[in-house]
Structures are given as structure tokens and as C-alpha cells.
Amino acid sequence: MKQMNKLKMAVLLVCGVLAASGASAATAAQPSNRLLITGSSTMAPMVAAIAKRFQSRHPEVSIEVQPGGSERGVSDTHQGKSDVGMVSRSLAEAEKNLYEFPIARDGVAIVINKNNPVSTLSNGQLLGIYTGKIANWRGVGGRDEPIMVIAGPAGRGSTELFTHYLGIRYDVIKAQRVLGDNPERLKATAEHPDAIVYVSVGEAERKAKAGLAVKLLPVDGVGSSSLNIRSGNYPISRPLILVTKEPPTGLIKTFIEFALSPQVTDIILAYDFVPYLD
């Protein structure tokens, strides 16, 4: 409930800021028909797709999206080097002077084969599996079968979020297979009865509902679902936010309003993130 209240407050803040007038844009020297957006590599492809759709409706506008990490998004915005920053985490206390606009959330699910009798894993068991200390399902109450550990590549958003949650470096993961996209990882898990994988909650949820032979395990007692991610209760999740130095006006305001609207919900879903609103 506390998390939901925070989310409601964030939405109210967004509405209040977007209604503000008379404030200067973050980079007033920039041409009024151009935007530079920098920051989170996780967010960059999604924001670039949003920008492309925005430009199709506003052909006079030019938007450049540059990845480089959340730290760059914060730094560039503070220094006025970019009009909008992308940050795939909560802002630190020292960064709270920025104006933040959550456009989506990222969440990672722990997924196993649908026919695996295991129904839950503790954080310690999950850590043991991914570091090679637990190599058989019997060790966590399952069948006497070796665990097929599947991981995503280093640098992927799901990998970054998963390793941060477990408090480990990527190089300590002991995986039998490293697979790229979420659909590829889920397909392998559905085909191998003793596989385990971490993937985007949104993609896993959709594929499971469509009949793929996988199931999402709860994490720390919380069900893996878009609803729980949206409410802020799901532990392996993070906000994806746009930030500005000043209350947005002009083109910056128009773009952020567009990025917060139902007009881009399909784009957010296409990149396996969770929209704040249905």
C-alpha cells in the first residue's frame, strides 16, 4: 500500500509539473524543434521508438537519442548538455532536484518448465543455483535431475537487474547456456524440463498465458506479474524514468506528455517493459 501511495504521488507530481508554466527549458539554447535525449542504455531503444512515432506526428521535429548509462542521463541533464535524461533506477537523494517522470517499469521473472514440481525458491536457493552451489533440483525439493541453468548475455537489462538483486557479478554465474532475446530463453525453458531462466516479466507473463509450457515463480513471496510490478511490490523491478532540469515547457513538455500517454503503451510492451497504466 505504501508503494502504491508513492506511485500515486508520482503521478500527481507528473500532472502538476506538466501543468506548470513560465519555467525555462533545460537547454534553452537548443533550437525549439530539436531534442537531445541521453542516458540509460536499457531505455534507449524504447525511447528511440517513442521518438520515432512522435516525429511521425511532428515531422518538423528532430529528436536524437544517445545511450550511455543512467549516470550520463543524470549528469547531462544537470549540466544542460541534454534536454531530457533517461534513468533506469530510482533517483538518489542528491539527484532529487531533477524533475522525474516515470514512463514504465522493468521487472525480471524467474521461470522454470511448467512440469517442474518446484513452486518456489528462496533468494538463497536462487543464488546457489546461479553460482553453481546447487546443481540438482533435489536440493530445492524437486526431482533428482541436474539443473539446466540458462542466463542472458552480459549487458542486457534483465541481466543487470537480476545480478543486482542477487548482489553478484555476472562473471560468477555458472550457466550451461547463454541465450539472447527473451523469446529464445523462454523457448529453451519450455523445451527442457529441468531448465531455469530469468527473463522479462512482461514477456514471460504473455507467453505463459498463450500456452507456452513455462511457469513464473514468486520472488520473496510476491507473485511475478505486471500488476505487482506496477504497484511497486515486486522485488526484482526498477522504474524507467525521464528527467529534466527544469519543469518542462514547449517541445520538451509535449514530448514527455506523449511518452506518458496511452499512445505509446504498445511500444512499452514491445520492449518487454510494464506500463504504469493499462
Side-chain angles (χ1 to χ4, degrees):
M1 182 61 70
K2 183 178 180 181
Q3 291 293 336
M4 179 61 78
N5 288 337
K6 288 183 178 180
L7 178 57
K8 289 179 179 177
M9 290 175 66
V11 172
L12 290 172
L13 173 63
V14 168
C15 295
V17 170
L18 290 178
S21 60
S24 62
T27 51
Q30 289 279 5
S32 59
N33 65 338
R34 294 182 60 190
L35 285 182
L36 175 60
I37 304 173
T38 66
S40 167
S41 298
T42 296
M43 294 176 64
M46 174 185 67
V47 173
I50 292 173
K52 183 178 180 180
R53 181 172 293 178
F54 182 85
Q55 289 173 292
S56 72
R57 290 158 168 74
H58 304 275
E60 76 284 0
V61 172
S62 173
I63 303 177
E64 183 176 359
V65 179
Q66 297 180 0
S70 295
E71 300 308 314
R72 180 188 179 187
V74 169
S75 176
D76 283 359
T77 305
H78 267 140
Q79 296 177 46
K81 292 181 179 179
S82 66
D83 300 286
V84 180
M86 301 175 288
V87 184
S88 55
R89 57 168 173 77
S90 298
L91 292 181
E93 195 60 37
E95 301 164 346
K96 291 291 187 179
N97 57 331
L98 294 175
Y99 292 84
E100 59 181 295
F101 307 94
I103 61 172
R105 288 192 74 88
D106 188 11
V108 167
I110 309 304
V111 178
I112 61 177
N113 189 279
K114 184 178 181 179
N115 297 316
N116 191 323
V118 171
S119 60
T120 186
L121 291 169
S122 69
N123 290 339
Q125 289 171 330
L126 190 59
L127 179 63
I129 288 171
Y130 269 87
T131 56
K133 295 178 181 178
I134 300 175
N136 192 296
W137 282 110
R138 183 176 56 183
V140 292
R143 296 183 292 250
D144 184 10
E145 296 290 346
I147 300 173
M148 168 64 75
V149 177
I150 300 174
R156 293 293 179 94
S158 58
T159 296
E160 178 185 331
L161 189 51
F162 178 73
T163 53
H164 181 266
Y165 177 72
L166 288 183
I168 59 174
R169 303 186 314 274
Y170 181 77
D171 59 12
V172 307
I173 288 179
K174 308 298 182 185
Q176 281 74 50
R177 300 181 70 180
V178 176
L179 301 175
D181 295 336
N182 286 314
E184 185 181 12
R185 286 184 246 169
L186 286 165
K187 182 175 182 290
T189 305
E191 293 174 348
H192 197 296
D194 298 305
I196 184 171
V197 70
Y198 58 85
V199 294
S200 158
V201 167
E203 179 74 3
E205 192 175 39
R206 288 193 295 276
K207 287 295 174 65
K209 288 179 179 178
L212 191 68
V214 295
K215 64 180 178 181
L216 289 66
L217 298 181
V219 175
D220 211 14
V222 180
S224 298
S225 69
S226 297
L227 180 62
N228 283 332
I229 288 177
R230 193 177 295 121
S231 70
N233 293 325
Y234 187 70
I236 316 182
S237 66
R238 60 183 173 179
L240 305 178
I241 62 178
L242 299 177
V243 296
T244 62
K245 187 176 183 179
E246 303 288 348
T249 59
L251 178 58
I252 298 174
K253 173 186 174 182
T254 303
F255 176 77
I256 290 177
E257 286 176 331
F258 182 75
L260 289 166
S261 77
Q263 298 177 75
V264 302
T265 297
D266 63 316
I267 295 177
I268 293 171
L269 292 172
Y271 283 89
D272 299 324
F273 299 129
V274 178
Y276 272 98
L277 301 174
D278 290 316

